[in-house]
Amino acid sequence: MVVCGDDGLAHRLAAELRGVYGEQVTLVVPPAERAARGPVVGRARAASAALLDRVVNAAVGGRPAAPGAAATTAAAVGEPVLEAVELTEAVLAAAGVERATALALVHDDDETNIRAALTARRLNPRLRLVLRLYNRRLGQHIEELLDQAAALAYDGGGDAEVEASTTVLSDADTAAPALAATALAGTSKVVQTEGLLLRAVERPLPADTGLHTLALLSVSDPTGGDQEPRLLPADEEVRGAAGRTAIVLEQVSTAGGPESAARGAGVIPWLNSLFSRRLRWSLAGLVGCVLALAIALWAVTGIHPVRAFYLTLLDMFAIDDPAVGAPLGRQLLQLLSALVGLLLLPVLLAAVLEALGTFRTATSLRRPPRGLGGHVVLLGLGKIGTRVLTRLRELNVPVVCVESDPEARGLATARRLRVPVVLGDVTQEGVLESAKIHRAQALLAVTSADTTNLEAALYARTVRPDLRVVLRLYDDDFATAVYRTLRAAYPGALTRSRSVTHLAAPAFAGAMLGRQVLGAVAVERQVLLFAAVDVDGHPMLEGRTVDQAFRPGSWRVLALAGRSDTPADHVLAKGDRVVVAVTRRGLAALR
């Protein structure tokens, strides 16, 4: 397998393929001085080299390898690391693309990945391609184009064993659900899987719901140690873990998105966006006054209620019909109606001016409204931040964004979703206060600078020591160290640190192995994957019931793709396609 990239995702993906799945990998990277985030990539290179050394030692029976063993073994399987400024045809050929099973193109630039993919498909039509593209619409067209090219290359008398495929993934799309779910206590972790909507929620055991238990979370041992999280535990282990928090799975019947929310919005949300809350209450109060005056006029004079309402409106708008000679009660009510009419005029004028202002600023950024609370403060509207924002709004979570770049790509999404945005440097005093951080339920820092995310988290902790904080940190080792330190310093607050490459690499590795990875759920520092697997010819699945196909710690069959109910005694047969929850090593075993 060949992995081409210019940041930490390439190195982590190569290490994932080597260490977890035992694959032979050639890594193509730019020279060290041209690589993005040099220090982090340098540590990733060292980690890849150390992992390769362990693989070499295991290959020679656990004995210490000779000084040149790693290089010799690497030479036998192809150069482990190839440095190249551009992915030209000669570079891809030198990396062995013509003989490779799969190629991952994970450069941060979409154009670079597309150009290399077109060249690689011509060199090896049977190659399994995995592309990292941010533009999802373009990715769909490129996927269809490359698959069509592979099919035409073997049209008529082609090789039946050809397994060529093209998969377009985005690290932002892969990591955003886990980041958004981590920021929300009690909010579900949702994975959409081929017509099904599966929701993972945290609940204390025993959970008398009959739901699948995906994981047991870590707990502190009374003896002083910690019990690590357990992915896909056996049923016996779950029954013996009373009082421990677990992640259980449930199914949602329909997948509601922004479109369905917009269709069901009705008139009231439209009025909410058009008029402020204070103006709406003023109008409601005046309407109440009109109704009260009409009822009083009806009671005093005994006229028909409709005529009483009509006369009240005439009095309010000063239409000439003085109550000369009328009873005293009628005269007093006319004076009160005129006074209410005087109060109504400035309110109507304010409504007109506010509506015109709303229409004029429909394309501008909104400010956080007064009294806002219980929201999520999202720092950064880059690639990751934009996907996280969309995900949070799909879950109907109120969000306030903070962005320092007025040209950030996510600002257009914020305008479209009507999300308040504070423009400013989060490290400057007063910016987080403008985002109402003191009344927020969580801070989600996903800017591209680790130090900015950390500084914002520490400052937010001084404002709200119990604030829930989720950090996106580029370097996974740094993320682990920050998580442990903040957890020790603030034991009463929830702190989570997430590396996007750590969350995204399993999905890319799964696609390179030919399995359709549908999503991922972060379980503390581990990742649980959801994948669709064809049962046909699979010895661990075909001919077994759903219960019998369960392997604790490795995988569990959740449902048949496209079906809302899957009995535990259903026998998996040829033609079935199942959705499984699987660990990384379990996915390797399913091969």
Side-chain angles (χ1 to χ4, degrees):
M1 295 187 173
V2 181
V3 177
C4 304
D6 58 354
D7 59 9
L9 178 59
H11 295 272
R12 175 163 287 280
L13 177 57
E16 182 94 10
L17 293 169
R18 288 191 189 114
V20 178
Y21 303 103
E23 295 289 342
Q24 299 175 355
V25 183
T26 298
L27 181 60
V28 182
V29 295
E33 63 273 10
R34 291 175 175 261
R37 295 178 179 259
V40 176
V41 173
R43 288 194 292 272
R45 291 172 186 260
S48 299
L51 181 56
L52 182 60
D53 288 339
R54 291 197 296 271
V55 173
V56 172
N57 292 338
V60 297
R63 300 186 304 275
T72 303
T73 306
V77 300
E79 184 68 21
V81 177
L82 177 64
E83 293 189 348
V85 177
E86 296 182 2
L87 292 180
T88 62
E89 182 174 344
V91 171
L92 293 175
V97 168
E98 296 174 345
R99 305 179 306 277
T101 302
L103 167 65
L105 299 166
V106 294
H107 282 263
D108 195 41
D109 179 54
D110 287 3
E111 183 179 349
T112 300
N113 294 331
I114 293 173
R115 183 185 295 113
L118 297 174
T119 303
R121 180 60 81 206
R122 186 176 69 254
L123 292 175
N124 186 354
R126 74 182 65 199
L127 187 67
R128 191 180 300 127
L129 280 172
V130 179
L131 280 74
R132 172 191 185 183
L133 296 182
Y134 180 79
N135 190 327
R136 288 180 287 187
R137 180 176 298 179
L138 176 61
Q140 293 176 355
H141 295 310
I142 292 296
E143 189 172 323
E144 295 173 359
L145 175 64
L146 294 174
D147 282 343
Q148 184 177 359
L152 292 176
Y154 288 91
D155 188 23
D159 188 350
E161 298 298 325
V162 171
E163 200 180 343
S165 65
T166 306
T167 305
V168 176
L169 296 174
S170 167
D171 55 339
D173 286 334
T174 305
L179 289 169
T182 306
L184 305 173
T187 301
S188 305
K189 303 175 182 180
V190 180
V191 177
Q192 194 164 352
T193 60
E194 298 195 347
L196 301 174
L197 195 62
L198 304 176
R199 181 169 57 191
V201 295
E202 293 185 12
R203 294 184 181 176
L205 291 177
D208 300 327
T209 58
L211 305 176
H212 291 313
T213 300
L214 297 180
L216 296 174
L217 300 183
S218 61
V219 295
S220 297
D221 196 311
T223 61
D226 289 333
Q227 295 184 21
E228 294 295 326
R230 171 70 170 160
L231 301 183
L232 300 176
D235 295 336
E236 296 79 11
E237 186 178 355
V238 173
R239 286 192 290 268
R244 193 169 174 180
T245 303
I247 295 181
V248 298
L249 185 71
E250 61 186 18
Q251 181 178 327
V252 183
S253 57
T254 58
E259 294 79 10
S260 61
R263 287 194 299 268
V267 178
I268 299 301
W270 178 79
L271 290 176
N272 291 347
S273 63
L274 191 61
F275 301 114
S276 67
R277 182 180 180 184
R278 182 179 299 178
L279 184 58
R280 294 196 306 271
W281 277 110
S282 299
L283 290 173
L286 288 175
V287 169
C289 291
V290 172
L291 293 177
L293 290 172
I295 293 173
L297 182 60
W298 171 44
V300 170
T301 62
I303 62 177
H304 194 276
V306 176
R307 179 171 175 79
F309 183 72
Y310 171 70
L311 292 177
T312 301
L313 292 179
L314 291 180
D315 295 337
M316 284 181 56
F317 295 115
I319 297 177
D320 192 19
D321 187 15
V324 177
L328 179 62
R330 168 74 179 100
Q331 293 176 342
L332 292 176
L333 288 174
Q334 188 176 56
L335 293 175
L336 290 176
S337 299
L339 179 61
V340 172
L342 292 176
L343 297 176
L344 180 62
L345 289 178
V347 174
L348 292 177
L349 178 61
V352 172
L353 295 178
E354 188 170 280
L356 291 176
T358 300
F359 289 133
R360 283 197 305 268
T361 60
T363 58
S364 64
L365 296 173
R366 298 183 63 195
R367 299 288 298 175
R370 294 181 180 179
L372 179 65
H375 58 288
V376 173
V377 176
L378 176 63
L379 308 185
L381 285 175
K383 292 193 302 183
I384 304 296
T386 303
R387 295 287 191 258
V388 172
L389 172 61
T390 303
R391 186 64 176 170
L392 290 172
R393 293 308 300 138
E394 288 175 353
L395 297 172
N396 295 321
V397 176
V399 183
V400 173
C401 300
V402 179
E403 174 57 53
S404 59
D405 182 8
E407 302 297 328
R409 68 175 75 198
L411 292 179
T413 302
R415 291 189 187 97
R416 178 173 56 84
L417 297 176
R418 305 285 293 163
V419 174
V421 177
V422 176
L423 286 176
D425 187 353
V426 71
T427 61
Q428 299 297 321
E429 186 176 354
V431 174
L432 282 178
E433 284 82 356
S434 299
K436 316 295 184 189
I437 191 66
H438 56 286
R439 290 200 295 266
Q441 65 164 312
L443 170 68
L444 186 51
V446 294
T447 70
S448 58
D450 288 359
T451 54
T452 299
N453 295 336
L454 181 57
E455 182 177 353
L458 294 176
Y459 179 74
R461 278 275 187 261
T462 63
V463 178
R464 279 273 307 277
D466 61 337
L467 182 68
R468 191 178 309 114
V469 171
V470 180
L471 301 175
R472 171 217 175 175
L473 299 176
Y474 189 84
D475 185 359
D476 191 50
D477 293 337
F478 184 46
T480 303
V482 168
Y483 164 70
R484 291 175 177 172
T485 304
L486 288 178
R487 183 180 63 175
Y490 298 92
L494 178 66
T495 303
R496 292 290 183 266
S497 57
R498 293 286 183 260
S499 166
V500 173
T501 58
H502 176 83
L503 296 173
F508 282 83
M512 293 186 72
L513 297 170
R515 302 300 178 198
Q516 185 179 2
V517 177
L518 304 168
V521 168
V523 182
E524 298 183 2
R525 300 303 302 169
Q526 302 183 39
V527 175
L528 187 64
L529 304 176
F530 293 84
V533 180
D534 292 320
V535 174
D536 188 12
H538 204 297
M540 300 180 184
L541 299 176
E542 189 173 4
R544 304 189 182 196
T545 64
V546 172
D547 274 349
Q548 293 171 347
F550 172 42
R551 177 172 292 186
S554 297
W555 67 78
R556 182 164 202 160
V557 176
L558 303 176
L560 291 177
R563 287 185 52 173
S564 59
D565 58 333
T566 305
D569 57 353
H570 175 80
V571 179
L572 302 177
K574 181 179 180 180
D576 286 341
R577 184 174 175 85
V578 295
V579 177
V580 297
V582 59
T583 63
R584 299 183 188 184
R585 295 190 180 277
L587 185 61
L590 279 177
R591 297 183 62 210

